[in-house]
mmCIF file of all heavy atoms in Angstrom:
data_model
loop_
_atom_site.group_PDB
_atom_site.id
_atom_site.type_symbol
_atom_site.label_atom_id
_atom_site.label_comp_id
_atom_site.label_asym_id
_atom_site.label_seq_id
_atom_site.Cartn_x
_atom_site.Cartn_y
_atom_site.Cartn_z
ATOM 1 N N ALA Q 315 -13.173 22.576 2.384
ATOM 2 C CA ALA Q 315 -12.677 21.228 2.081
ATOM 3 C C ALA Q 315 -13.766 20.441 1.387
ATOM 4 O O ALA Q 315 -14.955 20.612 1.679
ATOM 5 C CB ALA Q 315 -12.230 20.512 3.352
ATOM 6 N N LYS Q 316 -13.321 19.592 0.473
ATOM 7 C CA LYS Q 316 -14.258 18.754 -0.256
ATOM 8 C C LYS Q 316 -13.714 17.331 -0.327
ATOM 9 O O LYS Q 316 -12.499 17.110 -0.270
ATOM 10 C CB LYS Q 316 -14.470 19.278 -1.677
ATOM 11 C CG LYS Q 316 -15.171 20.616 -1.756
ATOM 12 C CD LYS Q 316 -15.389 21.042 -3.207
ATOM 13 C CE LYS Q 316 -16.112 22.379 -3.290
ATOM 14 N NZ LYS Q 316 -16.315 22.807 -4.694
ATOM 15 N N MET Q 317 -14.631 16.404 -0.481
ATOM 16 C CA MET Q 317 -14.245 15.016 -0.712
ATOM 17 C C MET Q 317 -15.214 14.453 -1.749
ATOM 18 O O MET Q 317 -16.237 13.858 -1.404
ATOM 19 C CB MET Q 317 -14.262 14.193 0.569
ATOM 20 C CG MET Q 317 -13.591 12.864 0.401
ATOM 21 S SD MET Q 317 -13.213 12.099 1.993
ATOM 22 C CE MET Q 317 -12.293 10.660 1.424
ATOM 23 N N PRO Q 318 -14.936 14.666 -3.024
ATOM 24 C CA PRO Q 318 -15.880 14.272 -4.076
ATOM 25 C C PRO Q 318 -16.030 12.763 -4.236
ATOM 26 O O PRO Q 318 -17.063 12.299 -4.729
ATOM 27 C CB PRO Q 318 -15.266 14.900 -5.336
ATOM 28 C CG PRO Q 318 -13.824 15.104 -5.019
ATOM 29 C CD PRO Q 318 -13.748 15.351 -3.548
ATOM 30 N N ASN Q 319 -15.011 12.014 -3.814
ATOM 31 C CA ASN Q 319 -15.115 10.553 -3.858
ATOM 32 C C ASN Q 319 -14.204 9.960 -2.797
ATOM 33 O O ASN Q 319 -13.469 10.690 -2.114
ATOM 34 C CB ASN Q 319 -14.766 10.024 -5.255
ATOM 35 C CG ASN Q 319 -13.389 10.450 -5.704
ATOM 36 O OD1 ASN Q 319 -12.383 10.097 -5.077
ATOM 37 N ND2 ASN Q 319 -13.327 11.224 -6.784
ATOM 38 N N ALA Q 320 -14.236 8.662 -2.656
ATOM 39 C CA ALA Q 320 -13.527 7.993 -1.554
ATOM 40 C C ALA Q 320 -12.020 8.049 -1.683
ATOM 41 O O ALA Q 320 -11.309 7.697 -0.742
ATOM 42 C CB ALA Q 320 -13.988 6.537 -1.464
ATOM 43 N N SER Q 321 -11.526 8.476 -2.834
ATOM 44 C CA SER Q 321 -10.080 8.420 -3.030
ATOM 45 C C SER Q 321 -9.436 9.793 -3.196
ATOM 46 O O SER Q 321 -8.266 9.888 -3.573
ATOM 47 C CB SER Q 321 -9.752 7.562 -4.254
ATOM 48 O OG SER Q 321 -10.368 8.087 -5.408
ATOM 49 N N PHE Q 322 -10.180 10.853 -2.898
ATOM 50 C CA PHE Q 322 -9.605 12.173 -3.137
ATOM 51 C C PHE Q 322 -10.272 13.231 -2.266
ATOM 52 O O PHE Q 322 -11.496 13.260 -2.122
ATOM 53 C CB PHE Q 322 -9.774 12.539 -4.617
ATOM 54 C CG PHE Q 322 -9.144 13.840 -5.011
ATOM 55 C CD1 PHE Q 322 -7.765 14.002 -4.983
ATOM 56 C CD2 PHE Q 322 -9.927 14.916 -5.424
ATOM 57 C CE1 PHE Q 322 -7.175 15.203 -5.351
ATOM 58 C CE2 PHE Q 322 -9.348 16.124 -5.802
ATOM 59 C CZ PHE Q 322 -7.973 16.263 -5.766
ATOM 60 N N SER Q 323 -9.445 14.129 -1.727
ATOM 61 C CA SER Q 323 -9.964 15.251 -0.964
ATOM 62 C C SER Q 323 -9.089 16.468 -1.222
ATOM 63 O O SER Q 323 -7.885 16.338 -1.504
ATOM 64 C CB SER Q 323 -9.975 14.940 0.535
ATOM 65 O OG SER Q 323 -10.403 16.051 1.297
ATOM 66 N N THR Q 324 -9.703 17.647 -1.119
ATOM 67 C CA THR Q 324 -8.952 18.897 -1.249
ATOM 68 C C THR Q 324 -9.244 19.805 -0.073
ATOM 69 O O THR Q 324 -10.328 19.785 0.500
ATOM 70 C CB THR Q 324 -9.320 19.640 -2.541
ATOM 71 O OG1 THR Q 324 -10.721 19.920 -2.534
ATOM 72 C CG2 THR Q 324 -8.960 18.832 -3.767
ATOM 73 N N LEU Q 325 -8.247 20.595 0.272
ATOM 74 C CA LEU Q 325 -8.384 21.666 1.249
ATOM 75 C C LEU Q 325 -7.971 22.947 0.538
ATOM 76 O O LEU Q 325 -6.853 23.042 0.030
ATOM 77 C CB LEU Q 325 -7.507 21.426 2.470
ATOM 78 C CG LEU Q 325 -7.521 22.503 3.557
ATOM 79 C CD1 LEU Q 325 -8.876 22.545 4.247
ATOM 80 C CD2 LEU Q 325 -6.425 22.260 4.584
ATOM 81 N N LYS Q 326 -8.887 23.908 0.489
ATOM 82 C CA LYS Q 326 -8.635 25.132 -0.261
ATOM 83 C C LYS Q 326 -8.637 26.321 0.682
ATOM 84 O O LYS Q 326 -9.466 26.401 1.608
ATOM 85 C CB LYS Q 326 -9.710 25.304 -1.340
ATOM 86 C CG LYS Q 326 -9.486 26.472 -2.276
ATOM 87 C CD LYS Q 326 -10.561 26.532 -3.362
ATOM 88 C CE LYS Q 326 -10.477 25.364 -4.306
ATOM 89 N NZ LYS Q 326 -11.429 25.501 -5.453
ATOM 90 N N ILE Q 327 -7.711 27.223 0.436
ATOM 91 C CA ILE Q 327 -7.637 28.478 1.177
ATOM 92 C C ILE Q 327 -7.718 29.610 0.166
ATOM 93 O O ILE Q 327 -6.905 29.701 -0.746
ATOM 94 C CB ILE Q 327 -6.332 28.596 1.988
ATOM 95 C CG1 ILE Q 327 -6.104 27.346 2.845
ATOM 96 C CG2 ILE Q 327 -6.387 29.839 2.880
ATOM 97 C CD1 ILE Q 327 -4.746 27.320 3.537
ATOM 98 N N GLN Q 328 -8.728 30.448 0.326
ATOM 99 C CA GLN Q 328 -8.934 31.539 -0.626
ATOM 100 C C GLN Q 328 -9.617 32.709 0.076
ATOM 101 O O GLN Q 328 -10.767 32.562 0.517
ATOM 102 C CB GLN Q 328 -9.787 31.067 -1.808
ATOM 103 C CG GLN Q 328 -10.362 32.155 -2.681
ATOM 104 C CD GLN Q 328 -9.310 32.969 -3.414
ATOM 105 O OE1 GLN Q 328 -8.161 32.559 -3.520
ATOM 106 N NE2 GLN Q 328 -9.702 34.136 -3.900
ATOM 107 N N PRO Q 329 -8.963 33.873 0.194
ATOM 108 C CA PRO Q 329 -7.572 34.141 -0.146
ATOM 109 C C PRO Q 329 -6.637 33.721 0.989
ATOM 110 O O PRO Q 329 -7.026 33.707 2.150
ATOM 111 C CB PRO Q 329 -7.572 35.661 -0.299
ATOM 112 C CG PRO Q 329 -8.610 36.115 0.690
ATOM 113 C CD PRO Q 329 -9.672 35.054 0.708
ATOM 114 N N SER Q 330 -5.424 33.407 0.654
ATOM 115 C CA SER Q 330 -4.464 32.986 1.674
ATOM 116 C C SER Q 330 -3.864 34.203 2.388
ATOM 117 O O SER Q 330 -3.808 35.312 1.837
ATOM 118 C CB SER Q 330 -3.354 32.147 1.044
ATOM 119 O OG SER Q 330 -2.685 32.874 0.034
ATOM 120 N N GLU Q 331 -3.449 33.988 3.637
ATOM 121 C CA GLU Q 331 -2.834 35.023 4.458
ATOM 122 C C GLU Q 331 -1.565 34.456 5.092
ATOM 123 O O GLU Q 331 -1.462 33.228 5.281
ATOM 124 C CB GLU Q 331 -3.801 35.501 5.543
ATOM 125 C CG GLU Q 331 -5.053 36.154 5.004
ATOM 126 C CD GLU Q 331 -5.977 36.681 6.094
ATOM 127 O OE1 GLU Q 331 -5.606 36.580 7.280
ATOM 128 O OE2 GLU Q 331 -7.070 37.205 5.750
ATOM 129 N N PRO Q 332 -0.634 35.328 5.469
ATOM 130 C CA PRO Q 332 0.613 34.837 6.078
ATOM 131 C C PRO Q 332 0.379 33.946 7.300
ATOM 132 O O PRO Q 332 1.127 32.998 7.529
ATOM 133 C CB PRO Q 332 1.358 36.119 6.439
ATOM 134 C CG PRO Q 332 0.897 37.106 5.412
ATOM 135 C CD PRO Q 332 -0.555 36.778 5.183
ATOM 136 N N ARG Q 333 -0.665 34.232 8.079
ATOM 137 C CA ARG Q 333 -0.913 33.428 9.279
ATOM 138 C C ARG Q 333 -1.396 32.010 8.948
ATOM 139 O O ARG Q 333 -1.526 31.180 9.859
ATOM 140 C CB ARG Q 333 -1.933 34.102 10.177
ATOM 141 C CG ARG Q 333 -3.287 34.349 9.550
ATOM 142 C CD ARG Q 333 -4.103 35.311 10.408
ATOM 143 N NE ARG Q 333 -5.287 35.793 9.703
ATOM 144 C CZ ARG Q 333 -6.517 35.616 10.157
ATOM 145 N NH1 ARG Q 333 -6.709 34.972 11.276
ATOM 146 N NH2 ARG Q 333 -7.547 36.093 9.484
ATOM 147 N N ASP Q 334 -1.660 31.740 7.681
ATOM 148 C CA ASP Q 334 -2.014 30.370 7.276
ATOM 149 C C ASP Q 334 -0.774 29.502 7.087
ATOM 150 O O ASP Q 334 -0.911 28.280 6.870
ATOM 151 C CB ASP Q 334 -2.805 30.400 5.966
ATOM 152 C CG ASP Q 334 -4.073 31.220 6.068
ATOM 153 O OD1 ASP Q 334 -4.652 31.283 7.169
ATOM 154 O OD2 ASP Q 334 -4.481 31.802 5.039
ATOM 155 N N SER Q 335 0.388 30.093 7.153
ATOM 156 C CA SER Q 335 1.629 29.322 6.992
ATOM 157 C C SER Q 335 1.704 28.250 8.080
ATOM 158 O O SER Q 335 1.599 28.547 9.281
ATOM 159 C CB SER Q 335 2.844 30.244 7.078
ATOM 160 O OG SER Q 335 2.827 31.173 6.019
ATOM 161 N N ALA Q 336 1.861 27.005 7.654
ATOM 162 C CA ALA Q 336 1.825 25.863 8.580
ATOM 163 C C ALA Q 336 2.132 24.606 7.780
ATOM 164 O O ALA Q 336 2.308 24.651 6.555
ATOM 165 C CB ALA Q 336 0.444 25.732 9.222
ATOM 166 N N VAL Q 337 2.174 23.480 8.480
ATOM 167 C CA VAL Q 337 2.203 22.184 7.811
ATOM 168 C C VAL Q 337 0.800 21.593 7.910
ATOM 169 O O VAL Q 337 0.238 21.518 9.012
ATOM 170 C CB VAL Q 337 3.236 21.228 8.430
ATOM 171 C CG1 VAL Q 337 3.230 19.898 7.686
ATOM 172 C CG2 VAL Q 337 4.628 21.845 8.396
ATOM 173 N N TYR Q 338 0.263 21.202 6.778
ATOM 174 C CA TYR Q 338 -1.076 20.633 6.726
ATOM 175 C C TYR Q 338 -0.964 19.126 6.478
ATOM 176 O O TYR Q 338 -0.339 18.692 5.513
ATOM 177 C CB TYR Q 338 -1.890 21.307 5.621
ATOM 178 C CG TYR Q 338 -2.215 22.740 5.950
ATOM 179 C CD1 TYR Q 338 -1.276 23.752 5.726
ATOM 180 C CD2 TYR Q 338 -3.444 23.092 6.496
ATOM 181 C CE1 TYR Q 338 -1.557 25.071 6.055
ATOM 182 C CE2 TYR Q 338 -3.738 24.414 6.818
ATOM 183 C CZ TYR Q 338 -2.783 25.387 6.602
ATOM 184 O OH TYR Q 338 -3.063 26.695 6.925
ATOM 185 N N PHE Q 339 -1.575 18.367 7.378
ATOM 186 C CA PHE Q 339 -1.535 16.906 7.268
ATOM 187 C C PHE Q 339 -2.916 16.369 6.918
ATOM 188 O O PHE Q 339 -3.941 16.868 7.395
ATOM 189 C CB PHE Q 339 -1.100 16.273 8.592
ATOM 190 C CG PHE Q 339 0.349 16.467 8.923
ATOM 191 C CD1 PHE Q 339 0.735 17.383 9.891
ATOM 192 C CD2 PHE Q 339 1.323 15.724 8.273
ATOM 193 C CE1 PHE Q 339 2.072 17.562 10.207
ATOM 194 C CE2 PHE Q 339 2.667 15.899 8.578
ATOM 195 C CZ PHE Q 339 3.031 16.824 9.545
ATOM 196 N N CYS Q 340 -2.892 15.333 6.130
ATOM 197 C CA CYS Q 340 -4.080 14.540 5.861
ATOM 198 C C CYS Q 340 -3.864 13.176 6.502
ATOM 199 O O CYS Q 340 -2.736 12.645 6.498
ATOM 200 C CB CYS Q 340 -4.260 14.416 4.349
ATOM 201 S SG CYS Q 340 -5.611 13.357 3.829
ATOM 202 N N ALA Q 341 -4.911 12.618 7.078
ATOM 203 C CA ALA Q 341 -4.835 11.286 7.669
ATOM 204 C C ALA Q 341 -6.098 10.523 7.300
ATOM 205 O O ALA Q 341 -7.148 11.127 7.064
ATOM 206 C CB ALA Q 341 -4.695 11.360 9.191
ATOM 207 N N SER Q 342 -5.994 9.201 7.248
ATOM 208 C CA SER Q 342 -7.178 8.398 6.976
ATOM 209 C C SER Q 342 -7.280 7.271 7.983
ATOM 210 O O SER Q 342 -6.314 6.919 8.663
ATOM 211 C CB SER Q 342 -7.174 7.867 5.535
ATOM 212 O OG SER Q 342 -6.162 6.901 5.332
ATOM 213 N N SER Q 343 -8.479 6.702 8.052
ATOM 214 C CA SER Q 343 -8.765 5.725 9.089
ATOM 215 C C SER Q 343 -9.957 4.879 8.666
ATOM 216 O O SER Q 343 -10.699 5.242 7.762
ATOM 217 C CB SER Q 343 -9.088 6.450 10.405
ATOM 218 O OG SER Q 343 -9.435 5.548 11.426
ATOM 219 N N THR Q 344 -10.120 3.762 9.358
ATOM 220 C CA THR Q 344 -11.303 2.948 9.176
ATOM 221 C C THR Q 344 -11.597 2.243 10.483
ATOM 222 O O THR Q 344 -10.672 1.863 11.190
ATOM 223 C CB THR Q 344 -11.122 1.914 8.052
ATOM 224 O OG1 THR Q 344 -12.235 1.029 8.054
ATOM 225 C CG2 THR Q 344 -9.850 1.103 8.242
ATOM 226 N N LYS Q 345 -12.849 2.053 10.795
ATOM 227 C CA LYS Q 345 -13.209 1.388 12.050
ATOM 228 C C LYS Q 345 -12.741 -0.055 12.055
ATOM 229 O O LYS Q 345 -12.574 -0.644 13.097
ATOM 230 C CB LYS Q 345 -14.712 1.466 12.298
ATOM 231 C CG LYS Q 345 -15.133 2.730 13.011
ATOM 232 C CD LYS Q 345 -16.565 2.649 13.519
ATOM 233 C CE LYS Q 345 -16.869 3.850 14.399
ATOM 234 N NZ LYS Q 345 -18.245 3.851 14.881
ATOM 235 N N ASP Q 346 -12.536 -0.603 10.867
ATOM 236 C CA ASP Q 346 -12.008 -1.957 10.802
ATOM 237 C C ASP Q 346 -10.607 -2.034 11.385
ATOM 238 O O ASP Q 346 -10.128 -3.109 11.698
ATOM 239 C CB ASP Q 346 -11.989 -2.453 9.360
ATOM 240 C CG ASP Q 346 -13.394 -2.636 8.813
ATOM 241 O OD1 ASP Q 346 -14.328 -2.749 9.608
ATOM 242 O OD2 ASP Q 346 -13.552 -2.651 7.579
ATOM 243 N N ARG Q 347 -9.939 -0.900 11.491
ATOM 244 C CA ARG Q 347 -8.607 -0.859 12.081
ATOM 245 C C ARG Q 347 -8.637 -0.113 13.401
ATOM 246 O O ARG Q 347 -7.650 0.473 13.809
ATOM 247 C CB ARG Q 347 -7.612 -0.219 11.113
ATOM 248 C CG ARG Q 347 -7.372 -0.998 9.852
ATOM 249 C CD ARG Q 347 -6.816 -2.383 10.142
ATOM 250 N NE ARG Q 347 -5.566 -2.354 10.851
ATOM 251 C CZ ARG Q 347 -4.386 -2.253 10.267
ATOM 252 N NH1 ARG Q 347 -4.297 -2.143 8.962
ATOM 253 N NH2 ARG Q 347 -3.276 -2.245 10.994
ATOM 254 N N SER Q 348 -9.818 -0.078 14.000
ATOM 255 C CA SER Q 348 -9.930 0.439 15.361
ATOM 256 C C SER Q 348 -9.464 1.874 15.505
ATOM 257 O O SER Q 348 -8.729 2.193 16.421
ATOM 258 C CB SER Q 348 -9.182 -0.475 16.332
ATOM 259 O OG SER Q 348 -9.704 -1.774 16.287
ATOM 260 N N VAL Q 349 -9.876 2.693 14.625
ATOM 261 C CA VAL Q 349 -9.761 4.155 14.639
ATOM 262 C C VAL Q 349 -8.339 4.705 14.606
ATOM 263 O O VAL Q 349 -8.165 5.917 14.654
ATOM 264 C CB VAL Q 349 -10.564 4.839 15.785
ATOM 265 C CG1 VAL Q 349 -11.978 4.333 15.836
ATOM 266 C CG2 VAL Q 349 -9.887 4.705 17.124
ATOM 267 N N GLU Q 350 -7.315 3.875 14.492
ATOM 268 C CA GLU Q 350 -5.995 4.466 14.380
ATOM 269 C C GLU Q 350 -5.901 5.207 13.050
ATOM 270 O O GLU Q 350 -6.494 4.799 12.057
ATOM 271 C CB GLU Q 350 -4.902 3.416 14.488
ATOM 272 C CG GLU Q 350 -4.818 2.463 13.321
ATOM 273 C CD GLU Q 350 -3.836 1.339 13.581
ATOM 274 O OE1 GLU Q 350 -4.141 0.487 14.413
ATOM 275 O OE2 GLU Q 350 -2.774 1.331 12.948
ATOM 276 N N GLN Q 351 -5.182 6.303 13.068
ATOM 277 C CA GLN Q 351 -5.088 7.154 11.894
ATOM 278 C C GLN Q 351 -3.712 7.008 11.245
ATOM 279 O O GLN Q 351 -2.700 6.920 11.936
ATOM 280 C CB GLN Q 351 -5.356 8.613 12.281
ATOM 281 C CG GLN Q 351 -6.781 8.831 12.773
ATOM 282 C CD GLN Q 351 -7.062 10.260 13.173
ATOM 283 O OE1 GLN Q 351 -6.282 11.166 12.903
ATOM 284 N NE2 GLN Q 351 -8.201 10.472 13.791
#
Side-chain angles (χ1 to χ4, degrees):
Chain Q
K316 293 182 179 179
M317 192 164 186
N319 57 62
S321 59
F322 184 66
S323 177
T324 59
L325 178 68
K326 186 177 293 186
I327 309 173
Q328 165 65 16
S330 58
E331 297 183 3
R333 59 193 168 121
D334 301 330
S335 297
V337 180
Y338 291 82
F339 288 105
C340 175
S342 69
S343 177
T344 172
K345 273 193 172 178
D346 293 340
R347 295 300 300 274
S348 301
V349 311
E350 69 188 70
Q351 295 179 12

